[in-house]
Amino acid sequence: MRERIKALEDAILHLEGAHYALHDIVARILAKAPAEEVETIATSLADQVSVHAEKIGAIRLAGYTEEVRSVAEEAKHNRAAGRELVARMARGR
């Protein structure tokens, strides 16, 4: 049982690292777009997925919309500060 839990923990950490990478790549790319366009994209995606709330479930919907908002905020931060994003990952977000 402990080996299985350890394997699941490792898989989650691996997935989290991959998620951070995608989050940061998208945010870095969006930082080059006009702020209004990024906000429109974020709002549009959140609106589109909310239509399917019953099919995807409340937890998945919350995760999706929170991540969309997080990427938009990170793009804004990137645009303003131009800081490296890896430091955020080390701080645990």
Side-chain angles (χ1 to χ4, degrees), residues 40-60:
T40 299
I41 290 168
T43 301
S44 174
L45 287 171
D47 289 347
Q48 287 174 14
V49 77
S50 68
V51 171
H52 304 288
E54 286 186 29
K55 291 179 184 175
I56 65 172
I59 294 171
R60 190 175 284 146

Side-chain angles (χ1 to χ4, degrees), residues 23-89:
H23 176 100
D24 291 348
I25 288 168
V26 171
R28 177 89 38 110
I29 291 168
L30 287 175
K32 296 176 185 202
E36 301 80 28
E37 186 176 340
V38 174
E39 188 58 36
T40 299
I41 290 168
T43 301
S44 174
L45 287 171
D47 289 347
Q48 287 174 14
V49 77
S50 68
V51 171
H52 304 288
E54 286 186 29
K55 291 179 184 175
I56 65 172
I59 294 171
R60 190 175 284 146
L61 176 63
Y64 184 94
T65 55
E66 288 168 15
E67 185 60 17
V68 165
R69 180 60 33 214
S70 178
V71 169
E73 286 298 314
E74 188 65 34
K76 183 186 205 179
H77 175 75
N78 240 306
R79 190 179 300 109
R83 296 180 6 189
E84 286 301 314
L85 302 174
V86 175
R88 273 189 49 246
M89 190 164 119

